[in-house]
Amino acid sequence: MSKLSLPSMHVTTLDNKLTVATDSMVSVDTASVGLWIGVGTRHEKSSENGLAHLIEHMLFKGTVKRDAVTIAREIENVGGHINAYTSREQTAYYAKVLSGDVPLAVELLADIVQNSVFDISELDCERSVVVREIAQINDTPDDVIFDYFQAAAFPNQSLGRPVLGSVEVVRSIKRQLLLNYIARMYGSESCVLAVAGLVDHERLVDIAAECFTALPKITTKALDFCHYVGGEIRVERELEQLHIILGFRGTSFFDPDFYTIQLLSVIYGGGMSSRLFQEVRERRGLAYSIYSFTSAYLDDGLLGVYLGTGVKEVVDAIPIVCDQLMSIPDTLNESELARAKVQIKSSLLMSRESTNSRSEHLANYFIIHGKAPNLTNIIDNIEAVDQSSIRRMVRRLLKNPPTLTSIGLTKTLENYDKICARLS
């Protein structure tokens, strides 16, 4: 085993290459326990889209020694809860328990990941559940528009496909496909067991070494490089609201401007004091919901603005969204940048009060960067961003074609070319 220790964080790599990481919080009586795996929707073939998410569901449907009811009852018998999620580049299985029940949580997570049986009748049932989940997302325009946004930004690529997949593919997935994916993707080198809270690191290492003995010793296949394209998707629906995302090519996790784009997003539309919120909602009343966001990936990223507005109001709202971005280089001041830095640093430090946030941050950072996060370095990187960096980032955003997606009655929304002209 190799070992690395940090002030509150400790990391040990087991002989099978599984990473065990802890973030100690002596002031709490609970712990968040999770197994994060560095694979997700991007690791599917196009004919498998939705497979990673379906596996996430199926791992709770029974193992060699536990059925689905037993899995749920064992964790709830001790007052804990268990859940999971799938993203484009990661899959996570996690539980929150009292500190004394950490061994149970670890053993339970190890069991479902290594020993699930994928019963045919359970698979038939869960396919139906996921189909209903897809239908629910499709019925929720302010959710599904983000899938359209990804598809328009990265068309015909793994990064552009929806996490839930399509109804047709989900219905066609066979049991053997699930087993094949697990065998080729759930390798010990791709996994991080992360625990934050009241936890003894050395004891956790011993438990993990005992429980995680059946993970495949494989190296996950490298990702296919994704290429940002941009463009437009308009979906006509009879809706009261017009839902819009206007976005741009952003940065990867490894980009030198990673923290620059985070700060730019806060300045642009990241809070109640942001330019977009103040101008579009507060001063003009053109929308109830407007905000900017960033999405970073291993090799690319996005910055976007979500806007929920009316058919009439969009006529005035879109020009403002464009103008506010274009004006940042000429009007940015030091107090505005300082406020954005405080917001990001405060969010980071406030998240340290949550065992869930700390375990997730530890695992995600390790999967992405191969090491535990150094908060001092992160804050130093935030502080290093200056006004010239923000101005350069705006110019960089505008070098690529924008991505525009909309759902609703879109006849009053300016055409794509006219919006592009506003951003030139």
Side-chain angles (χ1 to χ4, degrees):
M1 298 180 184
S2 61
K3 182 177 177 181
L4 168 69
S5 295
L6 296 170
S8 69
M9 303 177 194
H10 301 275
V11 179
T12 297
T13 302
L14 301 183
D15 292 338
N16 69 352
K17 304 304 181 183
L18 172 69
T19 298
V20 179
T22 58
D23 192 350
S24 177
M25 301 170 68
V26 296
S27 61
V28 301
D29 297 313
T30 62
S32 292
V33 182
L35 185 72
W36 273 261
I37 307 167
V39 295
T41 306
R42 287 195 66 180
H43 296 81
E44 302 166 343
K45 302 172 185 176
S46 59
S47 60
E48 301 172 339
N49 185 212
L51 177 58
H53 175 252
L54 182 58
I55 287 174
E56 173 218 310
H57 278 240
M58 286 301 300
L59 292 199
F60 292 91
K61 305 306 288 185
T63 70
V64 173
K65 68 176 184 178
R66 293 178 171 100
D67 60 17
V69 174
T70 303
I71 291 171
R73 284 180 178 169
E74 283 198 19
I75 201 73
E76 293 182 359
N77 282 345
V78 298
H81 56 82
I82 191 168
N83 211 332
Y85 67 80
T86 306
S87 67
R88 287 181 168 81
E89 294 182 336
Q90 294 182 18
T91 306
Y93 304 90
Y94 56 94
K96 181 154 186 175
V97 292
L98 297 176
S99 60
D101 297 311
V102 167
L104 169 65
V106 173
E107 192 275 326
L108 184 56
L109 291 174
D111 189 31
I112 66 173
V113 169
Q114 297 177 120
N115 304 314
S116 285
V117 295
F118 299 101
D119 179 80
I120 294 294
S121 62
E122 292 284 7
L123 177 57
D124 290 341
C125 177
E126 211 57 28
R127 283 199 208 96
S128 179
V129 170
V130 173
V131 167
R132 299 274 62 78
E133 187 178 0
I134 293 171
Q136 180 175 309
I137 291 294
N138 288 338
D139 285 345
T140 311
D142 53 342
D143 279 343
V144 73
I145 194 170
F146 286 88
D147 283 342
Y148 294 142
F149 181 58
Q150 288 284 147
F154 301 102
N156 303 312
Q157 301 173 68
S158 60
L159 199 52
R161 294 195 284 266
V163 171
L164 301 188
S166 68
V167 170
E168 294 75 20
V169 171
V170 169
R171 283 177 172 163
S172 70
I173 291 175
K174 305 298 184 185
R175 179 177 183 273
Q176 191 59 48
L177 202 58
L178 298 157
L179 297 172
N180 292 345
Y181 184 93
I182 289 279
R184 78 173 191 264
M185 293 297 176
Y186 276 38
S188 53
E189 290 189 45
S190 302
C191 299
V192 175
L193 177 67
V195 182
L198 189 58
V199 58
D200 181 285
H201 180 77
E202 299 300 337
R203 174 63 179 138
L204 180 69
V205 169
D206 291 341
I207 296 168
E210 182 180 336
C211 293
F212 287 96
T213 58
L215 287 174
K217 295 180 181 179
I218 55 171
T219 301
T220 303
K221 180 184 175 183
L223 291 171
D224 293 332
F225 178 77
C226 280
H227 175 64
Y228 174 89
V229 176
E232 180 181 23
I233 294 176
R234 291 193 184 208
V235 178
E236 285 290 326
R237 285 196 194 177
E238 288 281 347
L239 299 173
E240 292 294 325
Q241 279 269 102
L242 180 55
H243 302 266
I244 301 165
I245 296 180
L246 175 64
F248 309 87
R249 185 182 187 185
T251 68
S252 75
F253 288 113
F254 305 103
D255 195 293
D257 280 324
F258 174 77
Y259 292 102
T260 303
I261 200 171
Q262 312 304 313
L263 287 161
L264 172 58
S265 180
V266 172
I267 292 165
Y268 188 27
M272 293 177 65
S273 63
S274 69
R275 295 185 174 213
L276 288 178
F277 192 92
Q278 285 295 313
E279 192 65 30
V280 174
R281 174 172 164 159
E282 296 297 281
R283 294 196 182 101
R284 299 174 185 259
L286 296 174
Y288 172 71
S289 181
I290 183 167
Y291 57 87
S292 61
F293 62 92
T294 60
S295 301
Y297 304 106
L298 294 174
D299 56 355
D300 218 321
L302 297 166
L303 181 145
V305 174
Y306 167 82
L307 169 66
T309 188
V311 173
K312 294 180 180 178
E313 289 79 4
V314 72
V315 175
D316 295 322
I318 286 297
I320 294 171
V321 171
C322 296
D323 291 345
Q324 286 298 314
L325 178 62
M326 299 294 286
S327 70
I328 288 175
D330 296 327
T331 60
L332 179 67
N333 58 62
E334 193 58 37
S335 64
E336 192 174 21
L337 178 56
R339 183 168 62 247
K341 289 180 179 180
V342 169
Q343 286 180 259
I344 290 182
K345 289 187 295 183
S346 296
S347 178
L348 174 64
L349 295 175
M350 288 177 184
S351 72
R352 299 282 297 162
E353 298 175 1
S354 163
T355 60
N356 289 343
S357 295
R358 284 172 74 152
S359 62
E360 183 170 28
H361 186 213
L362 177 58
N364 286 344
Y365 201 91
F366 208 99
I367 285 175
I368 295 163
H369 297 283
K371 59 184 179 181
N374 184 312
L375 298 183
T376 300
N377 288 346
I378 292 173
I379 290 174
D380 287 345
N381 287 329
I382 293 168
E383 289 290 359
V385 176
D386 57 18
Q387 292 188 48
S388 64
S389 303
I390 299 293
R391 296 186 183 102
R392 184 183 68 250
M393 191 69 239
V394 173
R395 292 192 294 269
R396 177 176 165 180
L397 292 180
L398 299 173
K399 286 181 179 179
N400 292 286
T403 298
L404 177 67
T405 54
S406 57
I407 303 175
L409 300 173
T410 67
K411 61 182 179 181
T412 55
L413 174 63
E414 290 181 347
N415 66 50
Y416 177 78
D417 288 341
K418 188 170 183 178
I419 293 172
C420 288
R422 290 186 180 279
L423 296 165
S424 62

